[in-house]
Amino acid sequence: VINKSALIAVLSAIVLRDSPGATIVTDSVTTNGLAEFIEARGGVHFRFKRGYKNVIEKAVELNAAGQETPLAIETSGHGAMKENYMLDDGAYLAVKMVIELVRSSLEAGSKTSLATIISDLKEPLESREFRFQIDMPDFQTGGRDILAAFKRFADSVPSWTVTDVNFEGYRVDVDEGEGRRGWLLLRQSLHDPVLALNVESEVEGGVMATAEKLLRKFMCKYNYVDITAATDALGLEDFSCEIDEEGNPVLEY
C-alpha cells in the first residue's frame, strides 16, 4: 500500500528529478526514513505542522521568498504542487503517479510498480499514535505548560535528543542502539483539549519502551490529563507512576 510517508516519497522522487535541490514541505509526523530519502535525492525536507492547509500555505510562502518548493503534502494524502497552482488536488497527484509508473516501466523495458521507485525508502518497524484528553477549562495554557516541561524532561534523558527545529510541540530523536533511531513527537491540538503523541521505532518493542518511559516518568504527574487510552492500548494493566518522595518523576535511566 502506497500511503503516508511512502506516498510522499513517490511524489518527492518525481519532483526532485525535475527540480534538483528543491524543498518538500510535509507535516510534522513523517518518518526519519522519508527525510533521508529526500536528502539522498538532493532535496530539502521542510517538516512543518499538521494540517494540509498549513503545509500548502508554507509552500506558497517559501516559493514567494524564492525558495523552490514544488510539493506540499500531508501524511493524510492531501497535497499540492506548484505546477498546479498549489491546489489541493488529489486527482492531479494520482495522474502524476500514473505517468511516473508508465515512464519507469518504459525505461525498464518491463512492468514496474510504485514500490520499485521507492525501494530505498526506510520504513519504521513500529509506529503508534496516542491521544491524551486535557481536563481543565484553560486547556490551551495547560497544554503549553506541559509541552514546555516536556522539553526539559526530554533534555534529561540520555538517549533522547530534542530536534533543533520544531513548529508544533517537540520532536525527539531516540537512540535505539547499533545505529537505529526512533522518535517521538508530543504536540497540542490547535482547537481541542488534546495532546497527541506519535512514536516510531526501528526495533521490536521500541514504541512500548519509549511510550512507557514517557508515561511513567512524565505524563503521569499531570492529574488533569487522561492517559488511560495509551496505558490500555499498551497493555499496562499494572501501570504506576514512578515518582520520588517529593512527587517528582524519577529521572534515572
Side-chain angles (χ1 to χ4, degrees), residues 27 48 213:
D27 60 359
F48 196 46
K213 181 179 293 185

Side-chain angles (χ1 to χ4, degrees), residues 44-75:
V44 176
H45 182 204
F46 194 112
R47 187 184 286 120
F48 196 46
K49 301 177 181 178
R50 293 302 303 270
Y52 69 93
K53 288 185 178 179
N54 287 328
V55 297
I56 292 173
E57 288 174 359
K58 174 54 68 172
V60 170
E61 176 188 322
L62 293 175
N63 278 314
Q67 184 172 342
E68 179 63 17
T69 308
L71 175 66
I73 185 167
E74 193 186 31
T75 47

Side-chain angles (χ1 to χ4, degrees), residues 8-137:
I8 299 174
V10 170
L11 292 165
S12 296
I14 294 171
V15 300
L16 289 173
R17 185 178 62 248
D18 298 328
S19 303
T23 297
I24 310 297
V25 179
T26 73
D27 60 359
S28 58
V29 297
T30 51
T31 64
N32 289 335
L34 177 66
E36 295 169 0
F37 181 90
I38 292 172
E39 291 163 6
R41 284 158 176 75
V44 176
H45 182 204
F46 194 112
R47 187 184 286 120
F48 196 46
K49 301 177 181 178
R50 293 302 303 270
Y52 69 93
K53 288 185 178 179
N54 287 328
V55 297
I56 292 173
E57 288 174 359
K58 174 54 68 172
V60 170
E61 176 188 322
L62 293 175
N63 278 314
Q67 184 172 342
E68 179 63 17
T69 308
L71 175 66
I73 185 167
E74 193 186 31
T75 47
S76 66
H78 284 280
M81 299 185 73
K82 181 182 178 182
E83 66 184 55
N84 191 37
Y85 308 102
M86 278 297 168
L87 298 174
D88 176 24
D89 189 343
Y92 190 88
L93 299 182
V95 170
K96 291 291 291 187
M97 290 189 289
V98 170
I99 292 172
E100 176 64 18
L101 189 57
V102 173
R103 187 203 65 79
S104 61
S105 295
L106 290 173
E107 187 177 86
S110 60
K111 185 177 180 180
T112 62
S113 69
L114 293 176
T116 303
I117 299 169
I118 56 170
S119 60
D120 57 328
L121 174 66
K122 190 175 183 181
E123 295 275 24
L125 185 63
E126 299 178 346
S127 178
R128 295 288 296 272
E129 178 175 291
F130 308 97
R131 298 176 71 81
F132 311 131
Q133 195 78 17
I134 305 174
D135 185 18
M136 64 183 301

